[in-house]
């Protein structure tokens, strides 16, 4: 069935270091749609990145991710972490067997960036 | 411009009391609507979705129900709250199956 796995529940970094948050997915469909949502403290989630093209890098606000169907991965990366990047990050994939827009979310990764 | 409004912003309710949370979307016709729940420190869990007026599909009920009485309105309710209902309730909309979700500001519910 559909599932999304984020292996790290909590990531703590020092400002300026690179960020990599892991995301892998399981699906029987050949064309997955993957998303990264970010939720800052006391705010609602908002879309950060999305992709449905294999091996194409997508970027936004300094973050980037590449969908790799060969490894079923959509890892989120940033070259240099900022204090304001501290937030909860969700990887999600769209369920393709319906037209409902149903997203399957991973458990989320809390990113804490320290000075 | 599209707007999504959730009410109330926060609620403190007693166990066993009824609950009604509302969500209104303006500026888009026939959106897909969703209710999500987020326990404190927990992940996002989809509860219900609706692709048209009067039609609601349950994903995880948690002793809650949802209704879509109008094209732009989505209601989440229960007759008897449980302690486990505490958390953050988010309404969201999208236009098509492959489009992004737009979340409302959410309702923080505390059941005591």
């Amino acid at each position: 069935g559909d599932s999304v796995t984020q292996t790290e529940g909590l990531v703590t970094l020092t400002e300026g270091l690179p960020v990599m948050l892991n995301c892998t997915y399981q699906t029987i469909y050949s064309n997955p749609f993957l998303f990264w949502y970010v939720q800052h403290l006391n705010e609602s989630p908002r879309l950060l990145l999305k992709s449905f093209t294999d091996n194409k890098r997508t970027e936004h606000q300094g973050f980037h991710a590449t969908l790799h169907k060969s490894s079923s991965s959509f890892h989120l990366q940033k070259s240099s972490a900022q204090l304001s990047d501290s937030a909860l990050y969700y990887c999600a994939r769209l369920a393709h067997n319906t037209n409902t827009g149903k997203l399957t979310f991973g458990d989320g990764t809390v990113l804490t960036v320290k000075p | 411009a599209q707007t999504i409004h959730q009410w109330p912003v926060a609620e403190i309710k007693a166990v066993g009391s009824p609950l009604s949370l509302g969500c209104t979307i303006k500026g888009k016709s026939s959106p897909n609507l969703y209710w999500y729940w987020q326990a404190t420190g927990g992940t996002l869990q989809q509860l219900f979705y609706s692709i048209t007026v009067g039609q609601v599909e349950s994903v995880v009920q948690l002793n809650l129900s949802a209704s879509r009485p109008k094209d732009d309105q989505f209601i989440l309710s229960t007759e008897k709250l449980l302690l486990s209902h505490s958390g953050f309730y988010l309404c969201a909309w999208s236009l098509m199956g492959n489009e992004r979700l737009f979340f409302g500001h959410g309702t923080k519910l505390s059941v005591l």
Side-chain angles (χ1 to χ4, degrees):
Chain A
D2 293 343
S3 68
V4 176
T5 301
Q6 293 180 247
T7 52
E8 311 102 344
L10 181 64
V11 172
T12 303
L13 292 172
T14 301
E15 188 179 18
L17 291 180
V19 179
M20 181 161 171
L21 306 184
N22 291 318
C23 174
T24 57
Y25 62 90
Q26 286 187 324
T27 180
I28 61 173
Y29 298 97
S30 59
N31 295 307
F33 285 55
L34 271 295
F35 304 80
W36 275 101
Y37 280 81
V38 58
Q39 185 177 21
H40 286 90
L41 189 63
N42 297 322
E43 294 183 8
S44 297
R46 62 174 176 82
L47 181 67
L48 181 59
L49 294 170
K50 67 176 181 181
S51 180
F52 46 86
T53 305
D54 195 18
N55 297 319
K56 181 180 178 181
R57 174 170 161 147
T58 180
E59 299 186 38
H60 185 61
Q61 295 183 337
F63 287 90
H64 63 92
T66 304
L67 176 60
H68 291 297
K69 293 181 183 179
S70 60
S71 57
S72 299
S73 66
F74 191 54
H75 305 317
L76 182 68
Q77 300 182 66
K78 187 177 184 182
S79 58
S80 176
Q82 297 177 287
L83 295 176
S84 58
D85 294 331
S86 295
L88 176 56
Y89 291 82
Y90 287 106
C91 184
R93 67 168 298 272
L94 187 67
H96 271 264
N97 56 336
T98 70
N99 187 34
T100 63
K102 179 180 182 299
L103 289 181
T104 298
F105 283 88
D107 289 338
T109 298
V110 175
L111 174 64
T112 302
V113 181
K114 296 184 175 181
Chain B
Q2 308 84 26
T3 60
I4 178 169
H5 176 60
Q6 280 189 249
W7 73 92
V9 172
E11 277 267 48
I12 300 175
K13 303 278 282 185
V15 170
S17 63
L19 174 76
S20 180
L21 304 181
C23 174
T24 299
I25 292 86
K26 297 298 183 186
K28 281 295 179 186
S29 62
S30 303
N32 290 347
L33 297 176
Y34 312 87
W35 277 111
Y36 281 86
W37 173 67
Q38 189 177 35
T40 303
T43 189
L44 284 167
Q45 189 168 22
Q46 190 178 50
L47 300 176
F48 300 93
Y49 67 88
S50 171
I51 60 175
T52 192
V53 176
Q55 184 185 52
V56 177
E57 298 295 331
S58 170
V59 178
V60 177
Q61 281 194 326
L62 298 181
N63 293 308
L64 297 166
S65 60
S67 64
R68 187 169 177 176
K70 301 178 183 178
D71 184 54
D72 63 353
Q73 197 173 73
F74 207 22
I75 307 295
L76 183 70
S77 61
T78 182
E79 292 185 359
K80 286 187 178 181
L81 278 166
L82 306 172
L83 285 173
S84 57
H85 285 136
S86 292
F88 196 46
Y89 289 84
L90 289 156
C91 180
W93 69 271
S94 70
L95 274 187
M96 295 173 63
N98 63 345
E99 288 290 336
R100 60 183 286 184
L101 280 179
F102 294 86
F103 287 90
H105 289 297
T107 296
K108 184 173 182 179
L109 174 66
S110 300
V111 182
L112 306 176

